[in-house]
Amino acid sequence: MIRRRLLVAAVAGVVATAAVLACCVAVLADQKVLYEKPSPYNTIVVTEDDQGLRTLWFEKHGARQSVVKVGDPDHLELPYARAMPMGLAFVAEPKRILIVGLGGGTVPGFLHKHYPRATIDVVDIDPDVVYVAKRYFGFREDATLHAHVADGRRFIETCRDPYDLIFLDAFGSENIPYHLATREFLEAVRRALSPGGVAVGNIWSRASNRLYDSMVRTYQEVFDDLYIFDVRGAGNKILVALPRPEHVAQDDLARRARRISTDRHFPYDMADVVIYGYNYADEENTRGRVLRDRDRKESPNRS
């Protein structure tokens, strides 16, 4: 019976992922292409719909990377963007934030609006992505918000000042680059965190990522505590990793999230993320293996 339920769940996940991709194709067909250019890492496509929403794609029929309402950083169209700030429930007053993966600047723009005094560094390996974010999505640097064209791993390995929050949101056209998923990389992330800091990772779920269990296992190997949040209406999982033991019950975490949403005037209640998708990963994921740099030939591409 258990095996049957697991099979049903897996099939449902594959069907949901296929539906999302089919929806993306249909959405793209109805939009005006503003920009399309191959870069060293992706084919970057920017589209706009009849309501003025602009979308960043890596490859024409891939998943949407960002959806932005230019001039409105509170507009979080994609469900995962509303779940990424869950790390704030563990670091309510971050002073230094690092985001690996710029995209259209949705998450940096949202955090910058609600935490204007925090220093926010955003790193992207692709200079064309930075150009597009500024040209088409309204991303602007200022005294506390900075964009860096660099490899996210190298940036983290060489950083000198620790961060209170590190967001890992660096999807390519298929999935997270392998060198941003290994134990050695996550160890560097842990070293780059302040004592009370947390790391937040955005990854594809098991239905579309054959190394999902290994990625979870690798986070568990490096960090002391791990929370995994399902994202309603999407194939993403948001991982919140702590370099210290801190088991927070679902109800308590929901209260924290709601208080932050209220105090910081979020346009939504972050407690909904907890209520829908809370999972305290207190048991080791034995379905996966620890990913290492030496195994680079194995890639976590979608299957």
Side-chain angles (χ1 to χ4, degrees):
M1 180 63 71
I2 293 175
R3 184 175 299 175
R4 181 179 178 183
R5 285 200 297 266
L6 290 173
L7 178 60
V8 170
V11 171
V14 172
V15 171
T17 302
V20 169
L21 292 177
C23 179
C24 289
V25 172
V27 167
L28 181 58
D30 291 337
Q31 298 195 12
K32 176 183 178 181
V33 176
L34 302 181
Y35 178 92
E36 182 175 355
K37 179 185 174 183
S39 82
Y41 304 95
N42 298 287
T43 296
I44 300 173
V45 182
V46 179
T47 63
E48 184 178 71
D49 67 13
D50 56 7
Q51 297 182 6
L53 291 180
R54 293 185 177 180
T55 302
L56 174 68
W57 313 75
F58 292 160
E59 312 300 337
K60 261 195 169 181
H61 300 299
R64 294 178 294 175
Q65 299 293 320
S66 298
V67 179
V68 174
K69 186 177 183 180
V70 178
D72 183 3
D74 269 344
H75 187 92
L76 302 177
E77 182 79 10
L78 298 182
Y80 97 91
R82 295 190 288 274
M84 284 291 282
M86 268 309 305
L88 294 165
F90 298 90
V91 187
E93 296 293 335
K95 295 181 179 178
R96 286 176 49 79
I97 299 171
L98 173 63
I99 303 169
V100 178
L102 172 59
T106 308
V107 174
F110 178 82
L111 292 173
H112 186 49
K113 175 181 178 179
H114 295 282
Y115 293 84
R117 295 183 180 180
T119 295
I120 301 177
D121 290 318
V122 189
V123 182
D124 203 290
I125 197 171
D126 194 336
D128 290 340
V129 169
V130 177
Y131 165 77
V132 163
K134 293 179 177 180
R135 175 67 178 82
Y136 294 97
F137 294 100
F139 177 79
R140 296 290 181 269
E141 296 180 82
D142 60 23
T144 59
L145 177 60
H146 314 286
H148 307 266
V149 177
D151 178 82
R153 175 163 176 167
R154 178 60 61 88
F155 189 93
I156 287 173
E157 288 175 338
T158 58
C159 83
R160 296 181 179 179
D161 297 324
Y163 291 93
D164 302 309
L165 275 169
I166 296 179
F167 292 92
L168 305 175
D169 190 23
F171 276 92
S173 59
E174 292 293 329
N175 210 316
I176 298 170
Y178 186 79
H179 75 296
L180 299 183
T182 65
R183 173 176 178 168
E184 290 82 357
F185 169 66
L186 292 180
E187 287 172 340
V189 171
R190 177 169 177 151
R191 290 193 298 270
L193 286 171
S194 62
V198 301
V200 181
N202 173 28
I203 69 174
W204 285 110
S205 61
R206 186 181 292 117
S208 52
N209 177 8
R210 62 190 175 88
L211 287 186
Y212 167 80
D213 292 297
S214 293
M215 296 171 83
V216 170
R217 172 74 180 277
T218 305
Y219 270 85
Q220 290 178 312
E221 185 78 7
V222 173
F223 292 94
D224 292 337
D225 257 338
L226 180 67
Y227 295 79
I228 303 172
F229 297 93
D230 295 328
V231 178
R232 187 191 300 272
N236 306 74
K237 299 277 191 177
I238 303 301
L239 278 53
V240 178
L242 285 68
R244 60 192 179 279
E246 187 177 337
H247 181 196
V248 184
Q250 184 176 16
D251 289 346
D252 292 336
L253 191 58
R255 280 191 286 269
R256 284 190 194 179
R258 177 164 290 130
R259 184 170 60 250
I260 292 169
S261 302
T262 301
D263 292 347
R264 290 287 173 170
H265 305 290
F266 284 10
Y268 67 102
D269 186 354
M270 199 163 59
D272 291 342
V273 176
V274 182
I275 294 168
Y276 175 77
Y278 173 96
N279 176 22
Y280 175 61
D282 57 338
E283 295 184 2
E284 186 177 83
N285 189 325
T286 57
R287 298 176 63 173
R289 60 181 176 80
V290 177
L291 302 175
R292 304 297 300 262
D293 280 350
R294 63 173 180 248
D295 303 323
R296 187 179 293 264
K297 290 181 180 179
E298 183 92 44
S299 171
N301 285 343
R302 298 172 65 193
S303 56

